[in-house]
Structures are given as C-alpha cells and as structure tokens.
Amino acid sequence: MGTDFTDPHTQNIGAFIQDSVKLGRNLTVNAGLRYEQQKVIGLEDVTTFTLKNEWSPRLGIVWDPTASGKAKVYGS
C-alpha cells in the first residue's frame, strides 16, 4: 500500500498605499488601501487554492485637543 505525500507551499503578494492629510492645526486624516493575493501550491506544483482581489481599506483620524503636539485622540 503506497502513500502520497505533499509539501504544500504558498506564494503571497501584498501592496499598501497610504496618505496623510492635515485638516487644520489639530486634525489629521490617514487613509490607505491594502491589496493581498495568496496561492496555495500542492502536489506536482499544481495551484490548489487561490485568494485574490483581497482589498482592505484603512481610515484613521487623529485629533490633538490642545493643538500643541503633546496630546492626541485617535481612532481607526
């Protein structure tokens, strides 16, 4: 009785872009977008599973209530 073994591996691609916009003296908005793709490659180098078009938007807001650079309230 024979047994087949496989040693799967993955190929991953990822990219990220982000920008920061200062709206006034004490408010900053950070926005970004991330893209990922993953392939799982199995027996005889055949792609068995692919995750593509995985987009993740990012948004963050930073507010300095004192406008002095010494305090911040933020969320994302």
Side-chain angles (χ1 to χ4, degrees), residues 9-72:
H9 60 280
T10 62
Q11 291 179 345
N12 300 300
I13 297 172
F16 185 80
I17 186 168
Q18 179 176 323
D19 198 7
S20 182
V21 177
K22 199 158 179 74
L23 303 173
R25 291 181 49 212
N26 61 345
L27 183 64
T28 303
V29 176
N30 300 311
L33 186 63
R34 180 172 180 79
Y35 172 81
E36 290 186 75
Q37 177 178 310
Q38 181 180 35
K39 289 182 182 181
V40 177
I41 301 163
L43 194 60
E44 297 180 9
D45 286 330
V46 174
T47 299
T48 57
F49 187 76
T50 302
L51 284 174
K52 52 184 169 179
N53 293 323
E54 295 295 314
W55 295 94
S56 303
R58 313 290 176 146
L59 181 65
I61 298 173
V62 182
W63 174 54
D64 180 357
T66 64
S68 66
K70 296 182 179 182
K72 70 178 178 179

